[in-house]
């Protein structure tokens, strides 16, 4: 196959389209891992983690399935509203937000994932069919079958992370959702869950959201904090 030596053919910026310069894309991904343009079915690689999340078991699930599997509390492949509620509580959200999430998420995503045509009054989400409920909030990082597209994930930060290369401020998240015509609610929830002490959302946190490892980490952190708090109270009561 003949390779192009024409610089115009390989250009990522068009002089008459200023937005292409304002939102640059990565051109060095293949230096970190092979075939960055190829969708990964079970891992979510990045420049920093070319093999995906360390010690994260995909269990044969697609990356999109892994994203929602945390909320399958009994591991039966089906997520009911009460499981979504329980998962949100484990992540540290209050009762009101968790109730709203259980209703909004399951009502909105249940029907496309059902194995049949008839709706269910219990609004279950079937993980096997979660690709049918894929929507625009992922910036194209999932393809239509639930694979993870590293190139789109990396470009999200190259285009919109202006303050720090591997972090997004709330304003930059807003600009990204505006630029991609994305729903803002899920990104605001993610920001509330995973922002750091400087009020920024790290690249690693976003990647962890895509493969679900962030939810496991946050739930464990909250659980450990609760146990630590109980131990402190018991120690104080014993003195």
């Amino acid at each position: 196959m003949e390779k192009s030596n024409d610089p115009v053919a390989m250009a990522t910026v068009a002089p008459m389209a200023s937005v292409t310069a304002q939102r640059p894309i990565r051109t060095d991904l293949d230096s970190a891992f092979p075939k960055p343009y190829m969708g990964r079915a079970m891992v979510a690689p990045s420049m920093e983690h070319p093999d995906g999340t360390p010690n994260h078991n995909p269990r044969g699930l697609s990356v999109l399935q892994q994203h929602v599997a945390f909320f399958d509390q009994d591991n039966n492949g089906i997520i009911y509203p009460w499981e979504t509620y329980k998962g949100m509580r484990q992540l540290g959200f209050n009762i009101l937000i968790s109730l709203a999430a259980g209703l909004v998420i399951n009502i909105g995503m249940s029907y496309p994932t059902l194995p049949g045509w008839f709706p269910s009054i219990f609004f279950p989400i079937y993980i096997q069919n979660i690709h049918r409920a894929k929507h625009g909030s992922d910036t194209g990082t999932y393809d239509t079958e639930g694979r993870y597209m590293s190139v789109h994930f990396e470009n999200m930060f190259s285009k919109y992370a202006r303050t720090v290369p591997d972090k997004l401020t709330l304003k930059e998240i807003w600009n990204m959702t505006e630029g991609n015509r994305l729903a803002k609610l899920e990104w605001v929830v993610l920001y509330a869950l995973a922002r750091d002490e400087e009020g920024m959302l790290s690249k690693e946190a976003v990647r962890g959201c895509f493969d679900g490892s962030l939810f496991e980490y946050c739930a464990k952190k909250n659980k450990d904090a609760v146990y630590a708090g109980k131990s402190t109270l018991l120690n104080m009561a014993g003195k």
Side-chain angles (χ1 to χ4, degrees):
M1 183 180 294
E2 183 180 354
K3 294 184 178 180
S4 173
N5 293 318
D6 185 352
V8 174
M10 297 295 291
T12 62
V13 174
M16 300 303 293
S18 59
V19 69
T20 61
Q22 295 166 2
R23 301 175 187 171
I25 61 174
R26 297 295 294 258
T27 60
D28 58 347
L29 296 182
D30 53 2
S31 66
F33 52 93
K35 298 182 179 180
Y37 51 82
M38 185 179 74
R40 264 59 171 187
M42 293 188 290
V43 299
S46 66
M47 294 286 287
E48 296 77 17
H49 294 284
D51 294 321
T53 302
N55 303 317
H56 178 62
N57 183 8
R59 295 175 291 161
L61 300 174
S62 73
V63 179
L64 179 56
Q65 289 174 329
Q66 294 170 47
H67 170 68
V68 301
F70 167 79
F71 297 93
D72 180 15
Q73 298 285 310
D74 56 7
N75 295 311
N76 67 347
I78 306 171
I79 304 171
Y80 290 97
W82 50 89
E83 292 181 292
T84 303
Y85 166 83
K86 186 176 180 180
M88 293 294 287
R89 292 289 289 154
Q90 290 172 348
L91 293 177
F93 290 101
N94 63 36
I95 293 176
L96 185 60
I97 292 176
S98 300
L99 280 173
L103 291 173
V104 172
I105 292 174
N106 282 73
I107 290 175
M109 300 179 70
S110 175
Y111 188 73
T113 70
L114 294 179
W117 293 99
F118 295 100
S120 169
I121 61 173
F122 298 108
F123 299 108
I125 296 173
Y126 283 75
I127 294 178
Q128 181 179 358
N129 300 322
I130 192 64
H131 62 281
R132 299 177 184 172
K134 179 188 175 301
H135 48 84
S137 295
D138 56 53
T139 67
T141 302
Y142 300 122
D143 70 5
T144 52
E145 292 73 39
R147 302 182 193 89
Y148 176 89
M149 305 298 295
S150 301
V151 63
H152 295 305
F153 173 77
E154 294 289 349
N155 285 340
M156 175 169 50
F157 284 86
S158 69
K159 289 181 180 182
Y160 296 101
R162 292 288 173 265
T163 308
V164 179
D166 61 350
K167 293 184 179 183
L168 293 168
T169 65
L170 185 59
K171 181 179 180 180
E172 288 165 349
I173 292 173
W174 183 274
N175 291 338
M176 179 186 66
T177 57
E178 285 289 299
N180 289 277
R181 299 294 186 266
L182 303 178
K184 293 179 172 56
L185 179 59
E186 292 183 23
W187 282 96
V188 171
V189 172
L190 175 58
Y191 176 81
L193 172 66
R195 69 185 185 277
D196 61 20
E197 296 82 1
E198 299 174 341
M200 305 183 79
L201 184 62
S202 73
K203 181 180 179 182
E204 182 62 14
V206 177
R207 194 185 63 80
C209 175
F210 278 110
D211 72 0
S213 59
L214 172 70
F215 304 142
E216 298 169 3
Y217 169 80
C218 290
K220 184 180 184 303
K221 184 178 179 181
N222 287 332
K223 185 177 180 179
D224 290 344
V226 170
Y227 283 146
K230 289 182 177 179
S231 297
T232 299
L233 289 175
L234 288 173
N235 290 334
M236 292 175 64
K239 291 182 179 181

